[in-house]
Amino acid sequence: MPSEKENHRAIINEGEENEMEIFGYKISIPWIILCVIGYFVSGGILLLLFYWKPEWSVWSNCVPSSLEKANVVLLRTTDSRKKYTRKKMRWVSLTEFRGSLQNESGCSVISDKDSIVNRAIRKKDLKVKFIRVQKIRYVWDFFKKEFQKVGTLEEERTCFNIHSMYGSGLTKEEQDIRRLVCGSNTIEVEVSPLWKLFINKVLNLFYLYQFFTVILWLAEGYLGYAIAILLLSICTITLSLMELRKQSSKLHNLVKTHNNMKVTVCRRGNDFSEVESPDLVPGDIIILSGKNFFLSCDAILINGTCIINEGMLTGECIPVTKTQLPHGDNTMPWKQYSGEDYRRHILFCGTEIIRTESNAQGPARAVVLRTGFNTTKGDMVRSILYPKPLNFKLHRDVKWFFIFLGVLAIIGILYSVIIFAQRQVSAARIIVEALVLLTSAICPIIPAALTVGILYGQSRLKKCGIFCISPDRINMCGQLNIFCFDKTGTLTEDGLDLMGVIPSGGKQFEEMINFNQMDNLSWGPLFGAMTSCHSLIMTDGKMQGDPLDLKMFEATKWVLEDKGEDTEKEYSENMVVRPGPESNMAMQGVKVLFQYPFSSALQRMSVITQVIGEDELLVYMKGAPEMVASFSKPETVPTNFLEELERYTFQGLRVIGVAYKILQMENCDDFDSIEREEIEADLDFLGLLILENRLKPETKAILEELNAANIRTVMITGDNIKTATTVARNCSMIPEDSKIILVEACGPNGSTPASVTCSLLEYPSDQSNSGDTRINVEDVLDTKNYSNDYHFSMSGKTYENLEKHFSDLLPKVLMNGTVFARMSPGQKATIIDEFRKLDYYVGMCGDGANDCAALKMANAGISLSEQEASVAAPFNSKVTNIECVTELLKEGRAALVTSFCMFKYMSMFGLIEYINTLLLYWQRNIFGNNQFLVHDFAIMFVIFLTMSSTPAYHKLAPYRPPGQLLSPSMLFSVIYHVLFTIAMQTYAFLIVQNQPWYSDKDVYSACYPGNESLNINRTSILIKQRTKKNYESFENTTLWLLTAMHLVILALVLTKGKPFRRPIYKNYLFVATLIIEFALTLFFIFADFEGMYVVLELVCTPRSWRIHMLVILVICLVVSFVVEDFILNNRALWIALKKLFRMKPSSNYKITRAILDEDPEWPPIEKTIYGESNVTDDKEKMYNNPAFEYDDAVPSGKMI
């Protein structure tokens, strides 16, 4: 039996993005009493620490216990941040259902022993124990002794279970029980009251530090300066609250309609009733009738057919056909049975049902699968409310930089304590002086410096039609060094043009029938497939569907019959296609009796049809040529199939295979009972459809720009490998003079081990006149002559075998992998993850249809969608071409450089004031109230607002900006400016004391010598009998004037323009600011007005000393500019130093590249590499979707 300590910890959401550890605790009364005493003794500071660190609160108030007995749990994320969250255990009572729950025959909750709802009920008192984490409810499973997510049907259910257990609906009582246990079906985004938002914001450490600064400076008598900081804090808090309120209101409005829908529910016993959507529970049966309505939950279609618009999820507003879940299988979970194509049975929350089609068994019906925040739409909202933390080096480096500033502050505090103690200052005064020094060292505005560039970048992206739901990723876009693209709809046009049809003549293909010769194609199986094997629908008199289907059907000159209101009948009539007015065929038409919609995972679709007026049933299949051929009788597939396929795919054309057979079946209403594989077996191959998928006009230029910027480009597509490779060459993803290596990996087969073969592929010199593709076997003498100028191309099956049997070889192949074809949606995401493991910063661009997982896996995913925000990606572009990629990269780089510039500037501002304070403390002096106001607001704050607004440069540089604060160039820059500031300020501080006119007893001696004894007396009163903290002195005046000009010089020196941002002179507002600030500081230095001296608490100095200060500042400007631009930011110099000191790369991809460059056997062209295993272990065999058992060749067993 497990011990109490072992039951103390568990993991929830294992393997998911939001995986967390959970620890059980019980509240301890004695410890709570001690903590309450601590709250009062510490003046509330302990309570505040517990607010920031909930784990400290739990460890102080509670004692560890098993999760089953715990009344408090502590959750910890399993990522590198290890963030803690405290949750209190809650209970739901079901005592009102005591009669039914104790009578097992009265409620199916009891009869369903495997239900989580049943296992969560504590039988002795009918209570359910749960916690709520990020809007999701987790109940304690008393049988398995673990927390389980509720609000969703169990994934272990088989197809048979779902139909038998839930097909007839739930009882009213079971619905009520499930509603109490699972919660309501709502996606609620709270628009918090302003006072609540204000308190949460104010309790942030950053704002508390600002308020602490205000109180401290008020206590010191700096009223104006303190009020200015307070007003700045209030402004930033107000703007932040307004933005939070705006975002939450927008999100609230986005989901509020979800919570106010009417749904028809079928209860057990055919009891139909209309209920509010929040009352739905997992397992309910909902009736789907009518058209153009939205779903309020995720549901599994168990009867009928639905046409859905999933634009909210995918960004692609092409109607999708959903089919009912099969009935028969009772051997495996329904998702596993359906394979990667399980989504074709799911109706997702938030999607629009365009039309429903009932059948002989009744209206379209669906079982509620998930409710509330468990739904796909709820998951999208949760991803916005709780964005995934970014593992970005910049964020980690900031913490170390603040530690560095903290160390400096401690040194300064020790210095001030020693200085003031020697002068016998009171302990209270020493503490205050030390705290003042702390606020000087750590500038309270530094955190804002890292976000200002992001805000400007987000604003500019919005103007370009690019919307962002995760602004923190904008900075990360500045580090992207590899970008992956889907092909169809992303690199190429959505639409296709039908070039022609190549009928099969049995042993050989016939001549192509061009598009303009389609009238010569007579009625037959091939023409019948073109008229009926598609998923087109008529909505409001307009034909909609996949662009490929549209082009194919339009070429036949037939028409699709509009059903009108037929969907409201007892069961829907079949789709009918008829000859159009321009067709010369004399026949009534064709009925589509049953349809298996196209699946990207299965790479095919099929229909069962019947010519009107005839009894014969025909099955048509359309899909990937190699897939269709694999289902066809070998004797019907032409012997030159591969040659003909390669001929057209190597021209970058889209090739579709077509096949058919006569179906021997008597009952036309019982198609559901027959396995799909049985219907699709033993087809007769009919021929090929050749379609041209043109590149988008912008594609080639954008990819050339990315290549010039040394950003790797990769294609991940579901298309044919030859077509994909040709498109990659045509769009300059693969340069024409580069070598292309086809990688083919096979798994073990009996005694034959797994193997990998690499073949060099050369295109014929004239593709248009030759259909041949040669594998060059002889001319490969020295593979290293290719350097890195070679590209691997592989299929999804090859990738799967590499991942499974050659895991050590996979990273090497990925280093030059450019074309990944026939990839499933899951494999697309896996490739992105593998690139990230190599320490690449990966971008992904897709049209959203099958790329959602990959878009979310990438560091920055951008969906070409007309939606402002969807579940598909952090970025969405209304401009549906890849121009958005370069815009995103430019703005990301500009935002990152801006963040670094502002961070350096704000850090230096704080350190300069810190150095000044250290020097002035030597004389028990400090800058005055108005002096601080001028430095902080008249100079620094104006520069802060304008310096960060420089737009991105119009061209991508061939290298990335630095991505970490602790890089050598950044560290040496800060160190140099700090040392130069120390030297300059200390020099001025000491030299002014050696001037002939200087007197520490007479601050008027320089300009108003007059009565010396009177001046000495006045100076003595000014210093010794002062009522304020500071006093006028030559040192104070000198340091203040130097600092004022130095801040402007730093703004000029630290601002970066080309190659990541536009030149400084293009930022007209900033240039105007610099001119005004230079003029203002020069005025302060050379003006000689008594009123100015009084207001700014300065003393008059001779003109010679003012010129001396100006010379110092000119030297500062020249030296800083030379050091910053010609040494510290000299990229060539840093590269030379790395080579000189033989510094080894830290990124995995650079290490791998160095290894490959030294390997004379790489790439292994015309070689076969064998794996270690010689047998196939069925126990370890992974589940493989049969769609990916075939690459781009027909297996020999299928053909003669």
Side-chain angles (χ1 to χ4, degrees):
M1 223 177 136
S3 67
E4 179 88 2
K5 189 174 182 180
E6 288 177 344
N7 289 332
H8 167 64
R9 175 191 171 276
I11 293 180
I12 60 173
N13 305 321
E14 190 167 3
E16 299 179 22
E17 280 189 6
N18 57 341
E19 179 182 275
M20 286 187 250
E21 293 176 280
I22 183 170
F23 303 89
Y25 290 89
K26 292 184 75 173
I27 292 174
S28 171
I29 301 300
W31 285 110
I32 288 179
I33 294 172
L34 288 175
C35 286
V36 171
I37 295 171
Y39 299 156
F40 287 102
V41 172
S42 64
I45 293 177
L46 182 61
L47 188 61
L48 193 59
L49 287 174
F50 286 170
Y51 174 80
W52 291 332
K53 292 286 188 179
E55 64 271 28
W56 294 359
S57 171
V58 173
W59 296 337
S60 302
N61 289 300
C62 309
V63 293
S65 79
S66 65
L67 288 168
E68 186 173 8
K69 297 179 180 179
N71 47 28
V72 172
V73 294
L74 192 61
L75 296 133
R76 183 175 69 186
T77 59
T78 54
D79 57 18
S80 57
R81 297 183 319 132
K82 302 293 183 185
K83 183 180 178 181
Y84 285 91
T85 308
R86 172 180 176 154
K87 292 291 177 182
K88 189 177 180 180
M89 209 70 75
R90 299 159 71 180
W91 293 86
V92 171
S93 176
L94 302 176
T95 52
E96 59 183 294
F97 303 101
R98 185 181 299 277
S100 299
L101 289 171
Q102 291 177 345
N103 177 12
E104 294 193 4
S105 62
C107 182
S108 64
V109 173
I110 299 300
S111 60
D112 181 7
K113 300 297 182 183
D114 294 328
S115 169
I116 293 176
V117 174
N118 175 53
R119 298 197 303 262
I121 301 173
R122 191 164 66 181
K123 299 301 184 290
K124 64 178 182 180
D125 55 3
L126 302 181
K127 285 187 176 182
V128 176
K129 178 181 182 180
F130 74 95
I131 56 173
R132 199 160 183 252
V133 182
Q134 293 184 351
K135 306 290 186 181
I136 299 294
R137 182 177 289 197
Y138 299 83
V139 297
W140 178 255
D141 186 331
F142 285 94
F143 179 75
K144 292 187 176 181
K145 307 297 182 184
E146 64 183 15
F147 279 101
Q148 297 264 20
K149 187 187 298 184
V150 289
T152 178
L153 283 186
E154 292 78 4
E155 292 187 354
E156 298 79 16
R157 294 284 175 264
T158 64
C159 298
F160 177 80
N161 289 152
I162 290 174
H163 280 279
S164 61
M165 287 184 176
Y166 304 107
S168 57
L170 305 174
T171 63
K172 174 71 167 61
E173 215 161 15
E174 183 175 353
Q175 286 176 330
D176 294 338
I177 292 171
R178 283 177 175 265
R179 194 173 301 115
L180 283 172
V181 175
C182 300
S184 62
N185 175 39
T186 55
I187 302 176
E188 294 180 347
V189 178
E190 179 187 3
V191 181
S192 300
L194 287 174
W195 66 267
K196 190 174 182 180
L197 290 173
F198 178 78
I199 290 175
N200 289 335
K201 188 61 87 173
V202 166
L203 291 179
N204 181 286
L205 179 61
F206 163 59
Y207 288 112
L208 283 177
Y209 180 65
Q210 281 192 338
F211 289 131
F212 164 74
T213 304
V214 169
I215 294 170
L216 181 64
W217 289 100
L218 276 174
E220 288 294 281
Y222 287 82
L223 181 63
Y225 179 66
I227 290 176
I229 293 180
L230 182 62
L231 290 175
L232 175 62
S233 300
I234 291 173
C235 287
T236 54
I237 290 175
T238 303
L239 290 173
S240 179
L241 292 182
M242 288 174 62
E243 184 63 25
L244 280 174
R245 182 86 171 189
K246 180 182 175 182
Q247 289 179 358
S248 60
S249 297
K250 187 176 181 180
L251 201 55
H252 174 80
N253 294 331
L254 178 70
V255 300
K256 69 178 180 181
T257 53
H258 169 277
N259 304 322
N260 299 294
M261 297 183 186
K262 295 284 186 180
V263 185
T264 302
V265 172
C266 175
R267 295 197 183 99
R268 195 167 297 175
N270 285 331
D271 177 17
F272 295 90
S273 62
E274 191 174 66
V275 301
E276 298 283 345
S277 59
D279 293 334
L280 290 177
V281 296
D284 265 335
I285 292 291
I286 55 175
I287 306 300
L288 308 170
S289 60
K291 58 182 181 178
N292 301 114
F293 62 94
F294 290 88
L295 280 163
S296 58
C297 62
D298 286 354
I300 305 173
L301 189 63
I302 63 169
N303 192 69
T305 306
C306 291
I307 312 296
I308 306 286
N309 178 358
E310 293 187 342
M312 187 278 295
L313 298 180
T314 66
E316 188 178 47
C317 296
I318 293 175
V320 179
T321 301
K322 300 289 185 175
T323 59
Q324 65 187 47
L325 188 73
H327 289 75
D329 180 75
N330 197 26
T331 60
M332 64 180 74
W334 70 274
K335 273 190 180 181
Q336 185 178 344
Y337 178 76
S338 302
E340 290 194 38
D341 207 35
Y342 71 91
R343 292 168 64 94
R344 72 181 185 270
H345 306 307
I346 300 180
L347 312 177
F348 293 104
C349 176
T351 58
E352 181 184 12
I353 295 186
I354 299 174
R355 193 172 70 209
T356 61
E357 296 180 2
S358 48
N359 58 21
Q361 283 73 44
R365 291 178 297 146
V367 176
V368 175
L369 174 64
R370 293 181 286 258
T371 58
F373 280 96
N374 292 289
T375 63
T376 308
K377 184 175 181 179
D379 185 61
M380 180 192 77
V381 175
R382 286 200 314 122
S383 69
I384 298 173
L385 293 173
Y386 309 101
K388 186 179 179 181
L390 300 177
N391 187 21
F392 196 22
K393 289 181 180 178
L394 174 63
H395 299 153
R396 297 197 299 270
D397 291 348
V398 169
K399 296 178 182 178
W400 288 107
F401 193 82
F402 273 109
I403 291 173
F404 165 71
L405 292 180
V407 171
L408 284 183
I410 291 172
I411 294 172
I413 289 170
L414 293 175
Y415 164 83
S416 62
V417 168
I418 293 170
I419 291 295
F420 290 114
Q422 287 177 346
R423 294 181 170 128
Q424 298 181 346
V425 177
S426 66
R429 188 73 240 164
I430 291 176
I431 292 173
V432 172
E433 300 290 356
L435 292 176
V436 167
L437 196 61
L438 173 69
T439 61
S440 298
I442 304 175
C443 178
I445 309 179
I446 286 181
L450 287 173
T451 60
V452 65
I454 294 174
L455 296 176
Y456 278 114
Q458 186 176 12
S459 175
R460 289 192 293 264
L461 284 173
K462 194 172 182 180
K463 292 177 182 177
C464 297
I466 301 172
F467 299 91
C468 176
I469 62 173
S470 182
D472 284 344
R473 290 184 185 264
I474 294 176
N475 266 351
M476 190 171 281
C477 292
Q479 284 293 290
L480 297 180
N481 52 2
I482 183 171
F483 225 102
C484 304
F485 296 90
D486 179 37
K487 183 181 78 68
T488 306
T490 303
L491 299 176
T492 60
E493 299 282 1
D494 283 318
L496 297 163
D497 292 323
L498 183 65
M499 288 186 63
V501 179
I502 307 178
S504 171
K507 295 295 183 182
Q508 295 290 325
F509 282 104
E510 298 177 4
E511 290 295 320
M512 178 190 285
I513 300 173
N514 293 324
F515 176 75
N516 53 12
Q517 299 173 330
M518 280 297 172
D519 292 338
N520 299 334
L521 187 63
S522 60
W523 172 257
L526 182 56
F527 192 91
M530 293 176 66
T531 61
S532 59
C533 193
H534 53 74
S535 301
L536 300 175
I537 63 168
M538 293 292 291
T539 56
D540 300 324
K542 184 179 179 181
M543 190 160 55
Q544 294 186 6
D546 188 275
L548 185 152
D549 289 344
L550 283 168
K551 288 294 182 182
M552 179 187 71
F553 185 70
E554 287 170 357
T556 65
K557 298 181 180 179
W558 279 40
V559 294
L560 181 63
E561 191 175 87
D562 193 348
K563 298 182 182 181
E565 300 299 321
D566 288 350
T567 54
E568 299 299 325
K569 295 182 179 180
E570 183 177 349
Y571 63 91
S572 297
E573 294 180 359
N574 304 115
M575 181 176 75
V576 177
V577 290
R578 302 182 187 276
E582 300 179 14
S583 175
N584 54 13
M585 293 187 183
M587 57 186 305
Q588 294 184 52
V590 176
K591 288 193 296 185
V592 179
L593 305 177
F594 195 79
Q595 182 186 99
Y596 296 105
F598 176 77
S599 159
S600 58
L602 299 180
Q603 300 180 350
R604 68 184 189 272
M605 75 164 294
S606 302
V607 292
I608 302 174
T609 68
Q610 185 178 44
V611 177
I612 297 175
E614 297 182 12
D615 296 330
E616 194 173 62
L617 301 181
L618 299 175
V619 175
Y620 292 111
M621 176 188 286
K622 170 171 66 70
E626 60 273 15
M627 180 60 66
V628 174
S630 70
F631 281 88
S632 301
K633 298 174 186 174
E635 62 270 16
T636 66
V637 180
T639 54
N640 63 339
F641 172 80
L642 290 179
E643 290 81 1
E644 197 74 3
L645 180 60
E646 287 179 348
R647 175 184 174 188
Y648 292 102
T649 55
F650 272 141
Q651 296 177 47
L653 299 171
R654 185 83 176 270
V655 183
I656 303 297
V658 185
Y660 98 114
K661 78 172 183 181
I662 298 173
L663 183 64
Q664 304 296 331
M665 186 173 180
E666 296 181 0
N667 186 1
C668 297
D669 297 326
D670 197 25
F671 297 125
D672 286 332
S673 62
I674 305 178
E675 292 293 331
R676 178 174 183 173
E677 287 71 18
E678 182 181 340
I679 290 176
E680 294 177 332
D682 297 324
L683 303 174
D684 291 338
F685 191 81
L686 293 174
L688 302 173
L689 305 180
I690 310 299
L691 300 105
E692 185 177 15
N693 190 199
R694 293 191 180 94
L695 285 174
K696 291 182 178 179
E698 305 83 6
T699 296
K700 188 171 183 179
I702 295 299
L703 291 179
E704 287 175 346
E705 185 177 357
L706 293 176
N707 289 334
N710 288 326
I711 295 174
R712 271 190 68 186
T713 52
V714 172
M715 182 189 297
I716 310 176
T717 178
D719 209 342
N720 179 284
I721 191 169
K722 310 292 194 316
T723 302
T725 305
T726 302
V727 170
R729 288 182 84 241
N730 293 342
C731 68
S732 298
M733 186 175 283
I734 299 177
E736 288 189 8
D737 56 348
S738 296
K739 307 298 178 183
I740 301 174
I741 301 172
L742 292 179
V743 183
E744 293 181 287
C746 301
N749 184 12
S751 60
T752 304
S755 62
V756 178
T757 303
C758 298
S759 304
L760 185 64
L761 174 65
E762 287 194 0
Y763 279 77
S765 57
D766 186 358
Q767 288 182 351
S768 60
N769 298 327
S770 173
D772 296 330
T773 302
R774 296 184 291 107
I775 303 297
N776 189 347
V777 183
E778 301 176 356
D779 298 334
V780 184
L781 299 176
D782 184 5
T783 59
K784 296 315 288 182
N785 287 338
Y786 302 138
S787 184
N788 294 326
D789 196 17
Y790 60 90
H791 300 260
F792 288 120
S793 180
M794 72 189 75
S795 67
K797 182 61 180 176
T798 290
Y799 175 78
E800 181 183 300
N801 284 322
L802 284 174
E803 188 178 32
K804 185 177 179 182
H805 304 291
F806 298 92
S807 57
D808 59 330
L809 192 62
L810 181 60
K812 298 179 181 180
V813 175
L814 289 178
M815 289 302 300
N816 286 78
T818 300
V819 177
F820 299 87
R822 291 294 186 230
M823 303 298 291
S824 69
Q827 286 176 323
K828 289 184 178 184
T830 305
I831 285 180
I832 300 290
D833 191 38
E834 290 295 331
F835 277 128
R836 291 186 64 176
K837 288 177 183 176
L838 286 168
D839 293 333
Y840 278 109
Y841 283 93
V842 189
M844 173 69 192
C845 182
D847 58 5
N850 301 303
D851 310 312
C852 292
L855 289 166
K856 295 180 77 173
M857 179 63 70
N859 295 105
I862 182 164
S863 173
L864 305 184
S865 164
E866 294 184 0
Q867 308 268 337
E868 280 195 22
S870 74
V871 74
F875 297 94
N876 288 275
S877 172
K878 282 192 172 183
V879 180
T880 55
N881 62 60
I882 63 170
E883 283 183 337
C884 59
V885 170
T886 52
E887 290 297 327
L888 186 62
L889 288 169
K890 291 170 188 174
E891 292 297 344
R893 291 181 172 191
L896 186 59
V897 170
T898 300
S899 295
F900 274 63
C901 290
M902 296 309 304
F903 191 85
K904 274 205 292 188
Y905 183 75
M906 297 309 303
S907 300
M908 285 308 306
F909 170 77
L911 290 172
I912 289 171
E913 296 289 12
Y914 170 75
I915 293 166
N916 287 330
T917 306
L918 287 178
L919 291 170
L920 291 175
Y921 267 12
W922 188 262
Q923 297 179 329
R924 284 198 62 191
N925 199 359
I926 196 171
F927 288 147
N929 180 66
N930 293 340
Q931 290 176 322
F932 275 122
L933 281 174
V934 172
H935 278 179
D936 283 39
F937 293 95
I939 298 177
M940 181 274 292
F941 191 64
V942 176
I943 289 174
F944 177 84
L945 293 177
T946 56
M947 179 180 173
S948 53
S949 62
T950 306
Y953 194 57
H954 67 275
K955 184 179 178 181
L956 283 172
Y959 54 91
R960 299 174 296 161
Q964 49 187 341
L965 286 175
L966 301 184
S967 63
S969 60
M970 177 73 178
L971 287 176
F972 281 114
S973 177
V974 173
I975 291 170
Y976 157 73
H977 286 294
V978 169
L979 293 179
F980 191 91
T981 300
I982 292 173
M984 182 176 71
Q985 305 290 69
T986 306
Y987 169 82
F989 184 82
L990 296 176
I991 292 298
V992 72
Q993 297 175 6
N994 293 322
Q995 297 303 308
W997 43 263
Y998 174 84
S999 171
D1000 60 346
K1001 299 178 181 179
D1002 182 4
V1003 295
Y1004 307 102
S1005 60
C1007 299
Y1008 313 105
N1011 188 330
E1012 185 177 347
S1013 62
L1014 178 62
N1015 287 343
I1016 291 173
N1017 185 48
R1018 289 171 60 193
T1019 302
S1020 176
I1021 295 172
L1022 183 70
I1023 297 174
K1024 296 181 179 180
Q1025 300 180 23
R1026 67 182 187 269
T1027 57
K1028 56 184 180 179
K1029 185 179 179 183
N1030 68 299
Y1031 61 89
E1032 290 85 343
S1033 71
F1034 291 115
E1035 293 88 348
N1036 179 300
T1037 299
T1038 298
L1039 292 180
W1040 187 85
L1041 290 171
L1042 285 175
T1043 298
M1045 180 65 84
H1046 191 196
L1047 291 175
V1048 183
I1049 290 172
L1050 274 178
L1052 177 63
V1053 170
L1054 295 180
T1055 299
K1056 304 303 175 189
K1058 292 173 61 177
F1060 304 114
R1061 302 199 304 172
R1062 289 185 186 176
I1064 298 172
Y1065 58 80
K1066 290 286 186 179
N1067 187 346
Y1068 305 117
L1069 191 61
F1070 179 58
V1071 171
T1073 299
L1074 285 180
I1075 293 172
I1076 293 171
E1077 297 290 5
F1078 270 119
L1080 182 65
T1081 50
L1082 284 173
F1083 173 78
F1084 289 153
I1085 292 174
F1086 289 102
D1088 196 5
F1089 300 107
E1090 187 174 351
M1092 183 190 76
Y1093 295 147
V1094 173
V1095 172
L1096 295 179
E1097 301 171 274
L1098 304 175
V1099 296
C1100 181
T1101 57
R1103 185 169 298 274
S1104 60
W1105 179 245
R1106 303 183 193 195
I1107 294 173
H1108 192 153
M1109 285 192 291
L1110 185 61
V1111 170
I1112 294 173
L1113 291 167
V1114 170
I1115 294 172
C1116 173
L1117 173 61
V1118 174
V1119 174
S1120 297
F1121 183 80
V1122 170
V1123 171
E1124 188 73 29
D1125 275 32
F1126 293 96
I1127 299 177
L1128 296 175
N1129 288 317
N1130 188 331
R1131 187 168 179 270
L1133 175 63
W1134 288 109
I1135 292 174
L1137 288 173
K1138 284 183 179 180
K1139 290 181 179 179
L1140 178 65
F1141 293 103
R1142 297 180 181 179
M1143 296 178 66
K1144 293 183 179 180
S1146 57
S1147 300
N1148 285 331
Y1149 73 89
K1150 291 182 180 179
I1151 296 170
T1152 307
R1153 171 62 63 207
I1155 293 171
L1156 295 181
D1157 287 343
E1158 295 175 2
D1159 186 356
E1161 300 296 323
W1162 188 266
I1165 300 177
E1166 303 306 333
K1167 296 180 181 178
T1168 300
I1169 301 172
Y1170 292 96
E1172 296 179 358
S1173 176
N1174 293 330
V1175 295
T1176 303
D1177 188 349
D1178 291 333
K1179 292 182 180 180
E1180 295 183 1
K1181 187 174 180 181
M1182 298 168 62
Y1183 171 74
N1184 295 323
N1185 192 300
F1188 298 99
E1189 293 296 329
Y1190 309 97
D1191 290 343
D1192 294 306
V1194 180
S1196 57
K1198 291 284 185 180
M1199 294 181 63
I1200 296 176

